[in-house]
């Protein structure tokens, strides 16, 4: 029912161009609203249809990234100093890049079969499906636990242990992470290939 607004814009500016500009703006807003609702469902259909290919590709991608991280061991220097004004953006970007909570999406959407889940994953699925509020609570508990543990470590190093302790006792978490990526990718690839036969 936005057409009266287009008429109003045309009459106020005494120009048919204003009418068509208003129609364009109305069409854009309506299209974005429609896509916002429809695209997630369309994406889920694509995921279901291409599930096997996506799983195989994701397994190979995880293995490849793990091998890359084992070979290229240096951390980018730009990640060492993030201005305080950009920490929330950095945290968001890194959490997305590392797949934070992505492993819970298949459980939340019910894409995993119940008999393949252990008791912990079943409980997480039941909790998350209870309501949107429960999904938010699960996220808040996760973030609170992560920030509490990380905050304690940060405070200990900052206040008591110092950077010298960190540099002397540091072990390569990247190598452990890269190895676990390769292991998980190989296991996922093996399960996908075994179920394909």
């Amino acid at each position: 029912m936005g057409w009266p607004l287009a008429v109003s814009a045309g009459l106020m500016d005494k120009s048919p161009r204003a009418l068509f500009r208003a129609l364009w703006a109305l069409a854009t807003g309506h299209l974005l609203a429609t896509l916002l609702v429809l695209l997630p469902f369309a994406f889920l259909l694509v995921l279901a249809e291409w599930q096997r290919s996506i799983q195989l590709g994701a397994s190979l991608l995880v293995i490849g990234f793990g091998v890359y991280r084992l070979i290229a061991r240096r951390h980018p220097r730009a990640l060492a100093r993030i201005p305080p004004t950009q920490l929330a953006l950095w945290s968001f970007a890194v959490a997305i890049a590392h797949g934070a909570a992505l492993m819970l999406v298949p459980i939340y959407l019910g894409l995993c079969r119940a008999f393949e889940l252990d008791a912990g994953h079943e409980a997480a699925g039941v909790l998350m499906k209870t309501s949107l509020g429960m999904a938010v609570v699960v996220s808040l508990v996760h973030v609170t636990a992560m920030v509490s543990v990380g905050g304690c470590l940060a405070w200990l190093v900052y206040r008591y242990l110092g950077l010298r302790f960190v540099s002397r006792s540091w072990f390569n978490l990247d190598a452990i992470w890269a190895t676990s990526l390769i292991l998980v990718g190989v296991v996922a690839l093996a399960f996908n290939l075994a179920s394909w036969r």
Side-chain angles (χ1 to χ4, degrees):
M1 295 302 298
W3 65 267
L5 297 172
V7 172
S8 173
L11 290 174
M12 284 192 298
D13 284 0
K14 296 180 182 167
S15 166
R17 285 184 178 172
L19 180 134
F20 288 112
R21 275 196 308 267
L23 284 175
W24 179 254
L26 290 166
T28 301
H30 195 81
L31 176 66
L32 289 174
T34 306
L35 290 175
L36 182 68
V37 172
L38 291 181
L39 282 181
F41 293 103
F43 185 65
L44 286 176
L45 288 175
V46 169
L47 279 178
E49 185 177 323
W50 291 89
Q51 181 180 3
R52 170 85 52 215
S53 301
I54 291 170
Q55 288 173 335
L56 292 173
S59 300
L60 293 172
L61 184 66
V62 168
I63 293 168
F65 187 67
V67 169
Y68 169 76
R69 289 306 307 153
L70 278 177
I71 294 169
R73 291 185 178 238
R74 289 191 52 101
H75 235 66
R77 285 188 170 247
L79 296 178
R81 180 110 173 123
I82 306 295
T85 56
Q86 297 175 1
L87 281 177
L89 178 62
W90 176 88
S91 177
F92 174 79
V94 170
I96 291 294
H98 283 194
L102 196 56
M103 73 291 281
L104 297 176
V105 171
I107 298 168
Y108 184 71
L109 296 176
L111 298 176
C112 300
R113 291 187 205 103
F115 61 85
E116 293 177 349
L117 298 176
D118 60 42
H121 284 94
E122 274 189 55
V126 169
L127 282 176
M128 286 189 299
K129 288 181 181 179
T130 302
S131 68
L132 178 61
M134 187 54 72
V136 172
V137 168
V138 168
S139 297
L140 287 172
V141 168
H142 167 74
V143 169
T144 302
M146 183 201 68
V147 169
S148 297
V149 172
C152 287
L153 290 171
W155 179 252
L156 282 172
V157 169
Y158 174 79
R159 187 74 176 133
Y160 300 108
L161 303 174
L163 289 179
R164 187 170 289 153
F165 171 80
V166 173
S167 65
R168 277 186 280 147
S169 63
W170 195 256
F171 57 95
N172 191 346
L173 287 175
D174 273 352
I176 295 169
W177 182 53
T179 304
S180 70
L181 285 174
I182 293 169
L183 180 64
V184 166
V186 167
V187 168
L189 185 62
F191 278 131
N192 279 304
L193 291 176
S195 69
W196 199 9
R197 292 178 187 174

